[in-house]
Amino acid sequence: MKINYYHFACLALVIFAVGCKQETKETSVINGDEIKSHIAVLANDSLMGRKPFTAGETKAIAYISSQFKKEGLEPGNNGSYFQDVPMVEVTSTPSATMSVSGTKGDFSLNYMSDFVASTRQEVQEVQLTKSPLVFAGYGVVAPEYKWNDYAGLDVKGKTVVVLVNDPGFKSGSSTLFKGDTMTYYGRWTYKYEEAARQGAAGIIIVHQTEPASYGWSVVANSFTGAKLYLQEKDKHMSRCKVEGWITEDAAKKMFAAAGITGDFRAIARKKDFKAIPLNMTATVTVKTKLKYSTSHNVIAVLKGTTTPGECILYTAHWDHLGIGKPDAKGDSIYNGAVDNASGVAAVLNVAKAFAQQKERPKRSIVFLAVTAEEQGLLGSEYYASHPIFALNKTVADLNMDALGSYGKTNDFAITGKGQNDLDDYVAEFAKTDGKKLTGDKNPGAGGYYRSDHFNFAKVGVPALDMNNGAESTALGEAYGKQKQKEYGDLHYHQPSDSYTPDMDANGMAQVANLLFKVGNKLANETTFPGWKAGSEFKAVREKSMGGK
């Protein structure tokens, strides 16, 4: 992609020079007006919703890099502000039915109403032909919980049927995994990965609304149209041929034919559970269309004075959904002002705050605006598997995604609270400022695994995702909760997530200021924060650190 970076950056600055408020002096180093000025640029219609591979990407990454350069930050990738992220777009079209055959008769599942399916394999067509079906419980191999649903099981050529979430959910036991708080083993992405490691030909996840935290329509809609994946040398041939879901009703029909009745979640969470052959087979075909393109992460660095090889990482995704279905007002541009122009704007202001300090920190500070979060956290996944700065010397990742636009709050919300020592850093500064900390409102939904910080956690780097709380300083908690609900119900992933001059970005500035303080402290220490006991990411970090 040929990019006239500075032409677009200058154009954007000219467009928004009029009307942007001047910087005001406040006790905090970051203020809401500056954050708003960046959101105004990044969420403008001219960026067409910032979808990867479009002119909107070209303009967005040009603006972000120009701001890094303006503050005197060095390019973070061997003289470049950009890291190429090669991707493949796969459009999967399954056969209209999945045929299930067994000793007690045959039946068919209908595409979209009973099942969905796709493939990552970069071939024109994949087939499961009379693939034996095996109920593999939750599809989990978790050494730290002494749990292995695949123990003694050979699934080569077979299709595993597994349950969403993990054994702890609604078990009544807080010590079975993490009780109602989802671990990574409960995420559908993990289940796909594990089935592939086990050599399964296919994997089908049983959808249930409560443990999934979303209805069947969400699953069905996510399987329509093209999906982006990172390019892999093996063209994803190591993944299962077919990755899919079935409805709970379809699963009950399938299990009943195999003689499995009652609460199959309770059956699968028993300590002595063993995978159950269903004595039936599945047949389905998935045809594909493939398209190859390259997107870009944007990266800049402020070199440390004493230990520049060690770094603190700030992340936010720059991408959104582009141009799509018009809303009732005829607006078809998904500007993503909150999601996630807000996070990028906050990172830009944190970068400015570090650059303008009289004394540089001892460790380096790296600022990373990643692509394709909306397509499956792909930009951060690519960086985590192709790191520019060594992961075992990356002290922490501090992530900002979809910061609240309803003003200052008396509290902060930590996604996945209790995972690692970064919580303690936040708590220290929050206490000083007289603020409270809260955790996930719905811990069973697995929110910790749904933004870019997760890809750093997955490779062991202590990662923090933080947002505004709900207790509005000016108008109380009821107001804050109302605004959160309003955003989720009316604006999330809708064209109405747009910049407005009356947007209140002071709460965004609160988050940015607090994470600036956390990063500054980390950058002037010699120690490394770690993972709390029981975290599924503790072992990989300790291994990468050589047992530190």
Side-chain angles (χ1 to χ4, degrees):
M1 182 185 291
K2 293 183 178 179
I3 302 174
N4 190 348
Y5 300 110
Y6 296 106
H7 171 78
F8 286 117
C10 293
L11 176 63
L13 288 169
V14 169
I15 291 172
F16 291 96
V18 178
C20 288
K21 295 182 179 179
Q22 298 299 312
E23 180 178 348
T24 58
K25 290 185 178 181
E26 296 183 358
T27 54
S28 300
V29 293
I30 298 165
N31 68 70
D33 286 343
E34 284 191 297
I35 288 178
K36 278 178 64 173
S37 70
H38 290 306
I39 295 175
V41 176
L42 292 166
N44 184 260
D45 281 355
S46 65
L47 273 68
M48 301 177 294
R50 303 191 308 277
K51 191 171 184 178
F53 314 137
T54 67
E57 167 172 354
T58 305
K59 294 178 182 181
I61 66 175
Y63 180 77
I64 297 165
S65 62
S66 73
Q67 295 304 299
F68 286 148
K69 184 176 183 180
K70 176 183 173 183
E71 297 305 331
L73 301 179
E74 297 178 32
N77 185 20
N78 299 311
S80 173
Y81 285 107
F82 307 102
Q83 180 185 39
D84 289 353
V85 182
M87 299 184 200
V88 57
E89 182 182 86
V90 182
T91 304
S92 295
T93 305
S95 48
T97 61
M98 178 188 294
S99 300
V100 180
S101 302
T103 56
K104 294 187 178 181
D106 303 341
F107 60 91
S108 294
L109 301 179
N110 296 314
Y111 177 54
M112 294 296 281
S113 58
D114 297 320
F115 84 96
V116 291
S118 64
T119 187
R120 297 175 190 239
Q121 294 191 0
E122 296 170 42
V123 293
Q124 291 183 331
E125 180 180 294
V126 296
Q127 291 182 329
L128 294 179
T129 305
K130 293 189 177 298
S131 175
L133 292 167
V134 180
F135 177 40
Y138 292 89
V140 168
V141 178
E144 64 268 45
Y145 296 109
K146 298 179 180 178
W147 197 277
N148 187 351
D149 285 321
Y150 288 95
L153 185 62
D154 181 3
V155 295
K156 290 180 175 60
K158 300 175 183 178
T159 295
V160 292
V161 181
V162 302
L163 305 177
V164 72
N165 216 305
D166 60 42
F169 186 76
K170 298 303 178 184
S171 66
S173 171
S174 61
T175 58
L176 181 58
F177 283 63
K178 290 185 178 178
D180 289 344
T181 297
M182 184 191 288
T183 66
Y184 178 51
Y185 299 113
R187 283 287 286 160
W188 58 270
T189 50
Y190 163 79
K191 295 173 193 294
Y192 285 170
E193 292 165 0
E194 190 59 54
R197 282 191 286 269
Q198 297 293 330
I203 173 171
I204 300 170
I205 300 174
V206 177
H207 173 265
Q208 293 174 293
T209 298
E210 187 180 24
S213 81
Y214 39 78
W216 175 253
S217 62
V218 174
V219 176
N221 290 339
S222 71
F223 272 76
T224 59
K227 298 176 76 173
L228 285 177
Y229 303 105
L230 296 178
Q231 290 183 32
E232 299 290 351
K233 290 181 179 178
D234 73 345
K235 296 187 177 295
H236 294 97
M237 298 305 288
S238 61
R239 298 295 293 238
C240 297
K241 287 183 179 180
V242 173
E243 300 173 340
W245 292 67
I246 57 174
T247 64
E248 185 173 8
D249 286 343
K252 286 178 178 178
K253 185 176 181 179
M254 184 183 289
F255 288 157
I260 302 173
T261 58
D263 184 353
F264 37 79
R265 297 190 68 82
I267 295 169
R269 73 164 63 99
K270 291 179 179 178
K271 282 288 186 180
D272 59 352
F273 172 80
K274 299 293 181 185
I276 303 171
L278 297 181
N279 297 319
M280 57 184 72
T281 63
T283 298
V284 68
T285 299
V286 180
K287 296 183 178 180
T288 66
K289 290 183 180 179
L290 305 173
K291 179 182 177 181
Y292 296 88
S293 299
T294 298
S295 187
H296 306 83
N297 291 333
V298 189
I299 185 166
V301 61
L302 182 73
K303 290 285 181 66
T305 57
T306 304
T307 50
E310 297 174 357
C311 70
I312 317 302
L313 183 63
Y314 284 89
T315 54
H317 72 91
W318 60 255
D319 67 299
H320 200 55
L321 302 175
I323 298 175
K325 182 180 178 181
D327 62 12
K329 297 180 180 178
D331 187 358
S332 60
I333 300 177
Y334 290 67
N335 294 316
V338 167
D339 184 14
N340 185 36
S342 67
V344 175
V347 167
L348 291 175
N349 278 280
V350 170
K352 179 179 179 180
F354 273 108
Q356 294 187 352
Q357 281 195 124
K358 290 182 179 179
E359 293 186 16
R360 285 198 172 194
K362 295 176 181 178
R363 288 166 161 164
S364 295
I365 312 293
V366 177
F367 304 95
L368 179 66
V370 296
T371 183
E373 188 270 355
E374 302 289 4
Q375 298 285 343
L377 318 183
L378 299 183
S380 55
E381 181 185 349
Y382 186 83
Y383 181 92
S385 58
H386 302 80
I388 296 169
F389 297 86
L391 295 175
N392 64 355
K393 292 187 178 181
T394 301
V395 178
D397 171 53
L398 307 177
N399 186 63
M400 287 178 274
D401 190 356
L403 304 179
S405 60
Y406 45 89
K408 291 184 177 181
T409 59
N410 295 328
D411 54 347
F412 294 104
I414 297 177
T415 313
K417 188 171 181 284
Q419 276 280 6
N420 58 56
D421 295 340
L422 297 176
D423 292 3
D424 302 331
Y425 286 76
V426 173
E428 176 188 339
F429 291 110
K431 183 178 180 181
T432 300
D433 293 339
K435 305 297 182 184
K436 296 175 286 188
L437 293 183
T438 61
D440 295 339
K441 291 179 292 183
N442 182 12
Y448 190 73
Y449 317 110
R450 297 186 179 186
S451 190
D452 292 299
H453 62 283
F454 165 62
N455 280 318
F456 296 97
K458 197 174 174 183
V459 293
V461 176
L464 176 73
D465 183 63
M466 201 182 82
N467 211 312
N468 323 72
E471 190 180 313
S472 167
T473 301
L475 298 168
E477 188 173 28
Y479 172 81
K481 287 183 175 180
Q482 174 197 334
K483 299 303 287 185
Q484 289 179 339
K485 186 177 187 303
E486 182 181 291
Y487 177 77
D489 292 348
L490 302 177
H491 307 303
Y492 174 67
H493 283 191
Q494 297 297 324
S496 57
D497 183 5
S498 297
Y499 170 80
T500 58
D502 60 352
M503 175 183 283
D504 190 340
N506 290 313
M508 301 175 185
Q510 277 185 305
V511 175
N513 273 300
L514 194 148
L515 289 185
F516 167 73
K517 294 173 186 176
V518 170
N520 198 39
K521 179 173 181 178
L522 289 165
N524 287 292
E525 293 180 334
T526 57
T527 55
F528 283 74
W531 294 93
K532 303 282 189 184
S535 171
E536 57 268 47
F537 310 112
K538 186 177 179 67
V540 65
R541 180 61 162 182
E542 290 178 348
K543 183 179 179 181
S544 73
M545 301 292 284
K548 282 186 181 180

